[in-house]
């Protein structure tokens, strides 16, 4: 191998092994088979991790080279293949050198000299110089040195030539690319100009408006003529129709000729006179100014730019571009910048001394500086090599922000996610992103608002990684905003977006907190900050996890930051817990449906027809759980609050799927920080990162797994495994569709449930999914199914004939049409375990059900009614009550019975087959034939229970409860007494665990019913045994069994009521006198207002949680004596416990007042428990009464209480506490302000009360000057301005009640119920001595210029709330402030202020002209 084979072709440096130097200079092989050293390859590496071969670049000019670019992985250049031949040659030469040194230590100079064939000149020189050995030695050394220098110069010349050529091509390509981008931007500007010009063409549309009118006129004439032709044809076919139409008018229309001259056709030749022209000279001048090539000093290189060169731009060569579209060379900065004509860096390294060049070659590492540290698992760094680029970015941003173009104006908007510039330090602007935005007078964040309306915002520093909040003072305006924030224009925004964020999010690889429950401690974060500081550290990148890099940081004297944190016991290395010490909490196993029972389900995930998952749709509680999941884990701080650092096998967690949070279970650890999870509510599996897992709260364990593992019953694959075609066809049939599922076998929990799937069609029975697969040749029936089909069918039938089923998989077909139709229900022979459908529930004593075995008969009835009446017309029939009919209810014909008919033709109809009542118009009713009259409905009464609380009727709570659970449900019924009316039955329904439980027992367990203790009747005993003996005994024997004597019932003894005595709850803590914000919780029938402070509302939520912990189950019902009971515990309608106070006992109900809210309800005795709970907490609501008024009749009327409830309930109002009562349980005297109006005045205005003359008067509501808080001092007031007169209020016109009629003039009508009148009878207006109103207004309008403007507005402020340390006020004008205002005729009249209408850009007031009644919005100068 030649001497040049062990040296790089670019730099000429020799290849070395890692043992010789720090990193070695190894020969690496590219994809094109060219070999270069590590140093040169690192210089050629581009930011896109691609190396372009320089040898192939030279050859690419003459021929096409396929492999010119070589991609490198995460290990960089060191990951490329090393040439083993050169390594072996270097190693052999090294070993030979060591051997030569050991054997011939005296001949080292000879062994190292280059051996070349001696020439004749050399021999002659040697002969002539035998006498001068020193000259020969000197000449030999000089010749060897010259030969070495010549070779080196040749290599440098070759490298420089190639480098110049490559750099020239790159520069040309980059400039051409920038020219193309500039042309594209110019094209977009021209397109925008075109859009603007096109939008101005609306005048052209108006030009042809007359033509369109002519077209519409012709269309109307065509329509009229077509109508006349159609009528004429009908009359021609049926001459009797002549009496129903005007034949003369039709003939006149048909004979009207078409006059072409009567239509204006001039629109076809109209011209708008508009045209578009291109000013070529102006365009060339503009291009000469806006499109030019400059150097780094902004000196213009090419001034004459015309349109022609853009047509000859050729995009040649394959170039690497960054995200901004700017060309980047191999050694360019990560941030785009202008390139200067400079030589590559590797040429500078070659020009260095060869002896020292090998010493400065080191392994390329990333040096970074930490900018922000949240925790060792979340911090931000910046690359040191981007420091100069960052300085250029800061310089560009500072230059832009120093100009006025970056200032906000009143029309500018700020949006979340937009980029702004923030003044971080003096003369240092940084780019930030708006993450949260708040508008003035808004408590919730908004997505956008005007810059002048911003009150506070949160920003994120893109180049540093931290966030910050900014508050803008309300009186600062845009000036305060512009001091700290600036906005970029369109050009600057496009340019700045070219710089990627300098802050890189990182996380220490495979490091988790020492305490997994508490997470990262402050000690670990502080230790990391103290170690890193603001110095540059070495960063090693291992990979990515989402948007973060997995790294390790190393400082010069430190081994590793990860190892240091582990050594300090602040962290530990990640290791998944395969075998946890304690058993983790698991989800309840999925509920399996009962055997041979049809249920509706959705197929959530399919692997194969023998491996899929379904979700039962009857359980709607999962939707509530899923909604709570999204609310709980979508909060901003949920990621840090529920973060999981080290999961264990089989652990229950929460994870995302398609942007939604779902329940999952960890099932494996594939490696690294990845886990395999199973979505328990859907069935599919996925591999996700540990950072995507969240801890699950205990409340989400309440429901079992929703996904049920199933397989198709009696259907197998024709091959060993299911084919892709079969799986695809099965998915198309069932995935994400509503189907009917029937479970066929009981299997262990480790095996899928064999089920049969049926499509849901228009008819009652759908097609079997398994049979469809078999018919298509994608599956076959299993052997067990084939054997079962060949066996004879058993003769013993336990179900009635209408419910006969074969043993095949398919559902039974509908009965043939020849079968006799039964219009009414006939009870089956067996009265036990009858499958029914509950259609209507009124109470436990009135339940309407349908027997499923009569569904085929009911369907035939509906089909017959549809065929008879679907195309029939309404008949003139006088409908009366008790008449049977066929009713069209929402498009379905059903049997019904008329209950009543109103005068407007609406009838109340009872649905005979369903039990409910609907209101239908008589046009939807048809007479029903006698052979179709009947009903398949069975009215039932739940046996074995009686109403709770000693009542004879069922409570509304029990009725609502049973109606909620039973309406529309499938149940199993056993008839106890068929002779009773309604029929006594027992109902069994499926619970969450899939077990059938008695609904009567369920009502008893909920405390809504008591067990009936009466002895069973004779008929009940007979029919309970009749189902078992119906096939074995004869009719006479059956009658004999009915004569058996029933057992004697045990006498019932009622124990005496238990005497209980409880004390009342402590009285409420009364707030201090003065103004406070309170929430109105209740208003009693006596007009007592119950209010709660803000602290009481918060305490009520905590108190309710405490009460549920005291009583977790319903106490055992006892017979209490309620005379001594005051305080008690009450179960509300929401099934939560509250504190109450007994007021009265009425039969089986107790009248109770909720002491913490003030509400009064009559509650069944079974829901009241005589126990005082949480005695340390006083009553939370304060009873109040309005001060200063007397109710009409010395008591609030019911309509007055209704008005107060409409105004106050559920609202937070300003309450002025005036006087505390002497009795702690008494009412506090208050004054309540509702929307700026006193509640007492509202009640007086509506004539529900009168003012108390002893306490208040009408003058109390007039704005009075404040009482001076000064002593009676002798003060000199000379020279001081006179105090401004205090404005009063307008006097209302008082008309005597004796005058019932008086002349008036309507001034203004606001609504039909609110009209303003002017009394014309002057005798009714008592005018004082002096000038009249007309004279005074005339005098004012003559000297209006001399009147002073109204500048002081009386306002009042109330506290609205307290949030994050900020107190918010509601400021409004005082009501009825008098003034003079300009009317529409330009003159000034009397008015009063109502409020502020606008504040920006100018203040405008809402006033009411008191002499006209109209409202107007005017500026302050009017």
């Amino acid at each position: 191998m030649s001497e040049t084979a062990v040296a790089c072709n670019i730099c000429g440096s020799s290849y070395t092994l890692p043992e010789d130097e720090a990193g070695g200079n190894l020969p690496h092989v590219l994809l094109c088979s060219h070999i270069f050293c590590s140093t040169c390859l690192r210089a050629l590496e581009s930011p896109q991790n691609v190396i372009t071969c320089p040898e192939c670049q030279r050859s690419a000019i003459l021929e096409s080279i396929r492999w010119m670019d070589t991609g490198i992985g995460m290990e960089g250049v060191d990951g490329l293949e090393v040439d083993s031949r050169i390594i072996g040659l270097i190693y052999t030469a090294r070993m030979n050198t060591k051997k030569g040194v050991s054997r011939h230590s005296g001949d080292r100079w000879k062994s190292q000299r280059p051996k070349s064939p001696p020439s004749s000149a050399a021999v002659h020189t040697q002969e002539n110089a035998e006498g001068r050995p020193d000259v020969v030695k000197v000449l030999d050394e000089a010749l060897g040195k010259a030969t070495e220098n010549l070779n080196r110069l040749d290599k440098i010349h070759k490298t420089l030539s190639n480098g110049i050529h490559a750099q020239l091509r790159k520069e040309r390509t980059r400039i051409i690319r920038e020219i193309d981008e500039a042309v594209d931007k110019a094209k977009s500007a021209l397109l925008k100009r075109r859009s603007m010009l096109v939008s101005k063409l609306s005048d052209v549309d108006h030009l042809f408006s007359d033509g369109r009118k002519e077209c519409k006129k012709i269309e109307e004439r065509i329509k009229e003529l077509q109508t006349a032709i159609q009528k004429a044809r009908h009359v021609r076919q049926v001459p009797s129709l002549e009496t129903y139409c005007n034949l003369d008018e039709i003939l006149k229309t048909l004979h009207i000729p078409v006059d072409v001259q009567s239509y204006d056709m001039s629109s076809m030749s109209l011209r708008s006179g508009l045209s578009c022209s291109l000013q070529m000279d102006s365009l060339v001048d503009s291009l000469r100014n806006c499109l030019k090539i400059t150097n780094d000093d902004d000196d213009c290189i090419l001034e004459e730019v015309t349109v022609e060169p853009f047509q000859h731009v050729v995009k040649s060569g394959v170039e690497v571009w960054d995200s901004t579209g700017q060309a980047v060379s191999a050694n360019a900065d990560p941030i785009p910048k202008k390139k200067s004509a400079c030589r590559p860096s590797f040429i500078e390294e070659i020009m260095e001394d060869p002896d020292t060049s090998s010493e400065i070659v080191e392994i390329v590492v990333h040096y970074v500086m930490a900018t922000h540290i949240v925790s060792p698992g979340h911090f931000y760094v910046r690359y040191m090599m981007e420091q100069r680029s960052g300085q250029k970015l800061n310089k560009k941003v500072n230059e832009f922000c120093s100009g006025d173009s970056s200032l906000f104006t009143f029309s500018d908007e700020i949006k979340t996610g937009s980029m702004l510039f923030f003044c971080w330090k003096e003369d240092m602007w940084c780019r930030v992103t708006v993450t949260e935005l708040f508008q003035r007078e808004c408590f919730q964040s908004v997505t956008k608002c005007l810059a002048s309306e911003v009150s506070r915002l949160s920003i994120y520093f893109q180049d540093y990684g931290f966030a910050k909040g900014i508050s803008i003072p309300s009186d600062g305006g845009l000036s305060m905003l512009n001091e700290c924030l600036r906005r970029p224009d369109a050009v600057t925004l496009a340019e700045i977006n070219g710089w990627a964020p300098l802050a890189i999010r990182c996380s220490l690889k495979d490091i988790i907190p020492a305490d997994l429950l508490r997470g990262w401690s402050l000690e670990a974060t502080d230790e990391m900050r103290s170690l890193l500081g603001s110095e540059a550290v070495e960063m090693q990148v291992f990979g990515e996890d989402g948007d973060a890099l997995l790294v390790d940081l190393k400082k010069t004297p430190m081994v590793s930051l990860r190892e240091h944190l582990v050594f300090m016991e602040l962290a530990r290395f990640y290791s998944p817990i395969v075998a946890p010490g304690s058993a983790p909490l698991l989800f309840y196993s999925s509920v399996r449906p009962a055997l041979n029972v049809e249920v509706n389900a959705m197929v959530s995930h399919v692997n194969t027809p023998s491996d899929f998952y379904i979700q039962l749709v009857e359980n709607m509680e999962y939707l509530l759980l899923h909604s709570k999941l999204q609310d709980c884990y979508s909060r901003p701080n949920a990621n840090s609050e529920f973060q999981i650092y080290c999961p264990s096998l089989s652990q229950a967690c929460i994870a995302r799927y398609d942007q939604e949070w779902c329940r999952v279970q960890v099932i494996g650890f594939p490696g690294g920080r990845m886990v395999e999870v199973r979505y328990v509510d859907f069935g599919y599996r996925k591999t996700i990162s540990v950072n995507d897992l969240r801890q699950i709260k205990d409340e989400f364990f309440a429901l079992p797994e929703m996904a049920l593992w199933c397989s198709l019953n009696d259907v197998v694959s024709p091959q060993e495994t299911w084919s892709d075609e079969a799986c695809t066809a099965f998915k198309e049939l069932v995935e994400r569709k509503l189907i009917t599922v029937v479970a066929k076998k009981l299997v262990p929990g480790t095996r899928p449930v064999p089920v049969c799937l049926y499509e849901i069609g228009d008819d009652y029975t759908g097609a079997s999914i398994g049979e469809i697969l078999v018919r298509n040749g994608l599956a076959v029936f299993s052997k067990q199914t084939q054997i079962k089909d060949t066996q004879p069918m058993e003769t013993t039938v336990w179900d009635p004939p209408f419910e006969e089923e074969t043993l095949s998989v398919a559902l039974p077909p509908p009965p043939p049409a020849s079968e006799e139709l039964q219009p009414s229900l006939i009870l089956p022979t067996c009265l036990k375990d009858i499958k029914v459908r509950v259609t209507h529930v009124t109470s436990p004593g009135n339940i309407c059900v349908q027997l499923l075995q009569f569904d085929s008969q009911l369907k035939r009835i509906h089909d017959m009614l549809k065929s008879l009446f679907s195309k029939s017309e309404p008949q003139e029939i006088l409908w009366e009550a008790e008449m049977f009919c066929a009713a069209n209810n929402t498009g379905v014909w059903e049997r019904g019975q008329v209950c009543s008919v109103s005068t407007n033709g609406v009838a109340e109809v009872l649905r005979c087959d369903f039990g409910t009542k609907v209101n239908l118009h008589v046009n939807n009713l048809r007479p029903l034939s006698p052979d179709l009259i009947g009903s398949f409905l069975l009215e039932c009464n739940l046996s074995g229970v009686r109403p709770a609380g000693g009542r004879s009727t069922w409570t509304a709570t029990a009725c609502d409860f049973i109606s909620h659970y039973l309406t529309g449900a499938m149940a199993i019924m056993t008839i106890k007494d068929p002779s009773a009316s309604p029929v006594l039955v027992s109902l069994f329904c499926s619970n969450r665990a899939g077990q059938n439980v008695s609904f009567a027992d369920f009502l008893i367990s909920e405390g809504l019913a008591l067990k009936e203790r009466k002895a069973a009747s004779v008929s009940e005993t007979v029919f309970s045994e009749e189902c078992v003996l119906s096939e074995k005994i004869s009719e006479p024997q059956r009658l004999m069994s009915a004569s058996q004597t029933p057992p004697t019932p045990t006498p019932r003894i009622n124990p005496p009521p238990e005497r209980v005595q409880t004390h009342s709850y402590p009285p409420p803590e009364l707030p201090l006198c003065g103004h406070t914000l309170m929430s109105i919780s209740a208003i009693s029938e006596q007009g007592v207002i119950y209010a709660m402070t803000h602290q009481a509302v918060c305490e009520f939520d905590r108190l309710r949680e405490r009460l549920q912990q005291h009583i977790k189950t319903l106490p055992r019902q006892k017979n209490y004596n309620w005379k001594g009971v005051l305080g008690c515990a009450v179960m509300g309608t929401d099934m939560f416990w509250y504190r109450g106070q007994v007021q009265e006992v009425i039969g089986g109900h107790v009248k109770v007042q909720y002491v913490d809210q003030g509400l009064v309800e009559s509650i069944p005795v079974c829901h009241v428990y005589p126990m005082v709970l949480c005695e340390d907490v006083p009553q939370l609501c304060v009873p109040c009464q309005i001060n200063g008024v007397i109710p009409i009749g010395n008591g609030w009327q019911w309509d007055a209480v209704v008005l107060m409830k409409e105004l106050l309930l559920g609202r937070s109002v300003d309450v002025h506490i005036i006087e505390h009562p002497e009795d702690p349980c008494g009412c506090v005297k208050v004054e309540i302000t509702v929307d700026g109006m006193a509640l007492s005045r509202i009640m007086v205005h509506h004539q529900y009360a009168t003012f108390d003359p002893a306490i208040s008067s009408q003058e109390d509501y007039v704005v009075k000057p404040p009482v001076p808080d000064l002593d009676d001092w002798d003060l000199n007031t000379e020279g001081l301005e006179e105090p401004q007169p205090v404005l009063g209020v307008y006097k209302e016109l008082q008309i005597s009640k004796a005058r019932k009629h008086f002349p008036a003039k309507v001034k203004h009508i606001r609504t039909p119920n609110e009209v303003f009148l002017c009394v014309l009878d002057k005798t009714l207006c008592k005018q004082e001595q002096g000038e009249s109103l007309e004279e005074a207004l005339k005098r004012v309008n003559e000297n209006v210029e001399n009147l002073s403007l109204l500048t002081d507005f009386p306002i009042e402020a109330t506290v609205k709330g307290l949030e994050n340390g900020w107190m918010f006020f509601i400021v409004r004008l005082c009501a009825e402030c008098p003034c003079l205002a300009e009317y529409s005729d330009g003159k000034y009249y009397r008015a009063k202020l109502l409020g502020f209408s606008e504040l920006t850009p100018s203040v405008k007031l809402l006033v009411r002209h008191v002499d006209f009644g109209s409202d107007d919005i005017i500026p302050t100068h009017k």
Side-chain angles (χ1 to χ4, degrees), residues 297-353:
D297 298 331
D298 292 336
D299 296 332
C300 184
I301 304 300
L302 181 63
E303 295 182 356
E304 295 296 332
V305 179
T306 59
V307 182
E308 288 77 14
F310 295 106
Q311 301 175 0
H312 303 284
V313 174
V314 179
K315 300 180 181 180
S316 61
V318 179
E319 196 66 29
V320 181
W321 303 90
D322 65 351
S323 60
T324 62
Q326 302 286 341
V328 179
S329 61
N331 59 343
D333 291 335
I335 300 178
K337 59 183 180 181
K338 295 181 180 180
K339 300 293 186 297
S340 61
C342 61
R343 58 188 178 186
S345 59
F346 63 85
I347 297 180
E348 298 178 356
E349 297 176 1
I350 296 174
M351 297 301 294
E352 298 293 337
D353 190 354

Side-chain angles (χ1 to χ4, degrees), residues 346-640:
F346 63 85
I347 297 180
E348 298 178 356
E349 297 176 1
I350 296 174
M351 297 301 294
E352 298 293 337
D353 190 354
D355 296 334
T356 60
S357 62
S358 61
E359 296 178 0
I360 62 175
V361 176
E362 297 181 356
I363 300 176
V364 178
V365 295
H366 297 289
Y367 284 95
V368 298
M369 181 180 65
T371 59
H372 181 58
I373 300 175
V374 180
S375 67
H378 184 189
F379 59 93
Y380 296 86
V381 299
R382 288 178 63 169
Y383 290 106
M384 295 301 298
M385 61 182 177
E386 296 181 354
Q387 187 173 4
R388 295 183 59 187
S389 302
Q391 293 175 358
K392 292 183 179 180
L393 174 63
N394 292 336
K395 182 179 179 181
K396 185 175 291 294
V397 173
N398 291 334
E399 290 177 356
F400 173 75
C401 294
S402 61
D404 296 339
S405 61
S406 62
L407 297 176
F408 284 98
T409 60
F410 285 100
S411 61
D412 292 334
E413 285 186 344
I414 299 180
K415 302 179 181 179
T416 55
S418 60
M419 189 186 72
L420 303 176
F421 300 128
F422 176 71
C423 185
W424 186 16
K425 299 177 183 178
E426 186 176 359
D427 297 333
M428 182 177 177
W429 294 84
C430 304
R431 54 177 180 172
V432 297
T433 302
V434 180
T435 58
E436 197 173 15
L437 188 63
F438 290 88
Q439 192 175 3
R440 292 179 183 174
E441 299 182 0
C442 291
F443 302 105
Q444 301 293 334
S445 61
V446 296
T447 57
K448 65 177 181 179
C449 71
L450 293 175
S452 58
E453 296 293 329
V454 176
S455 62
R456 51 195 173 102
L457 70 163
S458 300
I459 57 176
Y460 169 74
F461 289 77
Q462 302 178 12
D463 302 324
Y464 297 93
F466 61 89
K468 188 176 181 180
I470 305 174
S471 296
I472 308 298
S474 58
D475 55 349
L478 284 180
S479 59
M480 296 294 295
L481 182 66
N482 286 322
E483 289 183 4
C484 58
L485 285 176
R486 298 292 174 89
R487 61 168 183 85
D489 54 18
V491 178
T492 307
L493 181 62
E495 185 177 359
I496 296 300
N497 283 335
W499 272 266
L502 300 182
I504 309 299
R505 180 176 177 179
C506 302
S507 175
L508 291 180
K509 184 178 183 294
D510 294 340
I511 287 294
I512 58 177
D515 189 351
L516 299 180
L517 297 179
R518 294 176 53 192
W520 288 107
S521 60
L522 294 177
E523 293 81 359
T525 306
D526 295 340
E527 182 69 16
M528 184 175 176
R529 289 197 184 101
S530 62
L531 287 175
L532 298 181
S534 59
E535 301 178 3
V537 295
E538 178 184 344
M539 182 178 73
Q540 183 179 2
V541 181
F542 297 98
E544 296 183 5
D545 185 6
D547 59 344
L549 295 179
L550 299 177
V551 301
D552 186 18
L553 302 180
K554 295 182 180 180
K555 212 170 181 180
T556 304
M558 186 176 59
V559 179
S560 169
L561 180 60
R562 298 190 304 160
E563 297 176 358
H564 178 78
L565 293 177
V566 174
F567 177 77
M568 297 295 294
E569 296 183 354
L570 298 174
R572 63 179 182 176
F573 288 106
Y574 169 75
S575 178
I577 305 174
V578 180
S582 59
L585 289 177
L586 301 178
F587 297 106
Y588 294 108
S589 58
S590 55
V591 178
R592 300 191 174 193
L595 294 182
N596 300 321
V597 176
E598 296 181 358
V599 294
N600 293 332
M602 291 280 292
V603 177
S604 58
H605 180 64
V606 175
N607 294 323
T608 64
S610 298
D611 182 9
F612 59 91
Y613 293 84
I614 65 172
Q615 277 186 348
L616 301 180
V617 298
E618 294 181 356
N619 190 357
M620 302 302 293
E621 296 181 0
Y622 172 70
L623 298 178
L624 300 177
L625 181 138
H626 187 72
S627 177
K628 292 179 64 178
L629 265 178
Q630 312 312 314
D631 296 340
C632 179
Y633 290 93
S634 297
R635 293 183 286 112
N637 58 343
N639 291 339
S640 58

Side-chain angles (χ1 to χ4, degrees), residues 52-64:
T52 302
C53 178
E55 295 291 339
C56 295
Q57 281 184 334
R58 291 195 296 270
S59 302
I61 301 174
L62 301 177
E63 56 182 351
S64 176

Side-chain angles (χ1 to χ4, degrees), residues 868-884:
L868 291 176
F869 303 112
S870 60
K871 297 182 179 180
S872 62
E873 297 294 334
Q875 302 179 10
E876 295 293 336
I877 297 178
L878 181 61
W879 293 100
E880 298 178 355
E882 305 299 330
M883 293 179 63
F884 289 95

Side-chain angles (χ1 to χ4, degrees), residues 36 98 118 132 187 479 494 505 531 615 649 677 711 760 829 1105 1267 1292 1349 1355:
F36 304 102
K98 289 183 179 180
R132 295 180 297 171
K187 289 180 180 178
S479 59
R505 180 176 177 179
L531 287 175
Q615 277 186 348
L649 194 63
V677 297
S711 65
I760 296 182
T829 307
E1105 295 180 0
V1267 179
E1292 295 183 358
L1349 296 176
I1355 62 174

